[in-house]
Amino acid sequence: MFLGHLVFYFYLLNTSNQDLVVFEPIPDQLFDSITPLKPRLKPSLVPVKAAIKSIVVKAKKDINKVDANDLQAIRGIGPALSKRIVRYRNSLGGFVHLDLLYEVYGLDSTVVQRIKEQYSLISMPAIETISVNAASAYELSRPPFISKEMSLEIVSYRAKNSLFINSEEILNIIEIPPDKIHIIQLYLTYN
């Protein structure tokens, strides 16, 4: 089973956006008005209620694998902006969440929504975590959504009090937007 998933993963990486056909059953309410046929020979034969309809769905590419030329296909992204997105992704080591696109300078929220419609996060990059209890203020300011001021507050609090045990202690001393907490926690350790 693992081998099947692995083959499918590499198939998705090496194919372009293609139309996929997805089958879903038709609701039972459509069959309520149909009277079933009576079998002539075998009483065990009953009509089948599973009719199938198809929907066309676009397969999404991995945002961590696309290049600047692929991004230019999205309306609102030119050569400069596509290079900026790729540069920011490379500086992070890869996107761990699609909300990180909002941090790219000059990228409008409507364009970010278009990117989310075309691309998804299929492969999670290897994240280099930072120990909150051992890192300098400069090292703590490297992950997204942690400013230089926030990192200085963390280091000064750590020096005056004690080492941090979990992320809730950090949330007590600095103000992090609630929708960004889960992204920041991916980059920090407490050992």
Side-chain angles (χ1 to χ4, degrees):
M1 186 163 168
F2 173 74
L3 185 59
H5 285 282
L6 190 62
V7 168
F8 183 70
Y9 172 75
F10 284 107
Y11 169 77
L12 287 177
L13 286 178
N14 295 320
T15 58
S16 61
N17 273 356
Q18 298 175 358
D19 291 342
L20 296 177
V21 178
V22 178
F23 296 98
E24 70 179 44
I26 294 177
D28 287 342
Q29 294 87 2
L30 295 176
F31 291 101
D32 291 343
S33 62
I34 300 174
T35 57
L37 296 175
K38 295 184 181 177
R40 293 183 190 193
L41 298 175
K42 294 184 180 180
S44 63
L45 294 177
V46 290
V48 178
K49 288 179 104 178
I52 299 175
K53 68 176 183 177
S54 64
I55 314 171
V56 176
V57 178
K58 292 276 186 186
K60 292 185 176 183
K61 285 185 177 181
D62 188 4
I63 190 69
N64 286 324
K65 304 287 184 195
V66 297
D67 60 2
N69 293 331
D70 292 332
L71 291 169
Q72 289 179 30
I74 297 174
R75 189 169 44 95
I77 298 179
L81 199 51
S82 64
K83 288 177 186 174
R84 195 177 304 147
I85 294 168
V86 171
R87 196 175 322 120
Y88 183 66
R89 179 189 67 196
N90 293 342
S91 72
L92 293 174
F95 291 120
V96 295
H97 198 279
L98 289 177
D99 284 349
L100 289 171
L101 289 165
Y102 290 109
E103 296 299 304
V104 177
Y105 175 76
L107 196 58
D108 187 47
S109 61
T110 57
V111 178
V112 171
Q113 290 302 321
R114 288 186 202 128
I115 294 173
K116 287 181 176 183
E117 291 170 4
Q118 291 287 326
Y119 301 106
S120 64
L121 188 64
I122 296 172
S123 64
M124 190 67 129
I127 302 171
E128 186 176 326
T129 57
I130 299 170
S131 173
V132 175
N133 294 319
S136 67
Y138 172 75
E139 292 170 327
L140 284 173
S141 67
R142 301 267 305 140
F145 307 121
I146 298 181
S147 66
K148 181 179 177 182
E149 293 78 22
M150 290 177 179
S151 62
L152 288 171
E153 286 182 48
I154 292 170
V155 170
S156 69
Y157 182 85
R158 182 182 68 198
K160 292 176 186 173
N161 298 309
S162 62
L163 300 178
F164 294 100
I165 299 172
N166 55 32
S167 62
E168 292 167 5
E169 293 179 348
I170 291 178
L171 295 175
N172 290 334
I173 61 168
I174 61 173
E175 190 173 327
I176 299 175
D179 57 334
K180 311 297 185 213
I181 293 170
H182 63 282
I183 298 173
I184 293 173
Q185 289 176 347
L186 294 172
Y187 290 92
L188 303 177
T189 60
Y190 300 90
N191 49 2

